[in-house]
Amino acid sequence: MPKAYWVAHATVTDPAAYEAYRTANAEAFAKFGARFLVRGGPQDVVEGSLAPRCVVIEFVDLATARACYDSPEYQAAKALRLPVSLVDLCIVEGWEG
């Protein structure tokens, strides 16, 4: 079964307040075995335009990635994120090629 990923592009409008989201999301990510592969490092956009922050989080499978997003723990964290950032987020299944 292929792994799955959250891929997010974010613009953080209030970095201090965003820290509350980062602290709160740790509970959901630990519960669902999430592993950060990319967490906002420098990026070189070579085509198109993207938000300044990129995050990629790995999950064991698509069902687990979706369960994490839908969980009460993540939804509580998300409520802290919404007023202080603009985010495009997709959940995508990996490829076993």
Side-chain angles (χ1 to χ4, degrees):
M1 181 171 297
K3 293 185 179 187
Y5 304 89
W6 287 15
V7 179
H9 296 278
T11 301
V12 177
T13 57
D14 184 342
Y18 191 81
E19 287 303 313
Y21 162 70
R22 287 183 65 185
T23 300
N25 70 29
E27 181 180 356
F29 293 154
K31 179 178 178 179
F32 291 93
R35 184 170 77 103
F36 282 90
L37 301 179
V38 176
R39 196 168 191 176
Q43 60 184 6
D44 183 10
V45 179
V46 295
E47 292 189 31
S49 60
L50 295 173
R53 181 175 175 80
C54 179
V55 177
V56 179
I57 306 170
E58 181 182 74
F59 292 86
V60 66
D61 58 28
L62 193 58
T64 303
R66 186 61 200 216
C68 182
Y69 183 81
D70 292 336
S71 72
E73 296 87 353
Y74 184 73
Q75 291 301 308
K78 179 181 158 188
L80 298 172
R81 174 179 54 79
L82 288 175
V84 299
S85 64
L86 303 169
V87 175
D88 292 314
L89 172 67
C90 71
I91 299 172
V92 61
E93 189 171 62
W95 182 61
E96 292 185 330

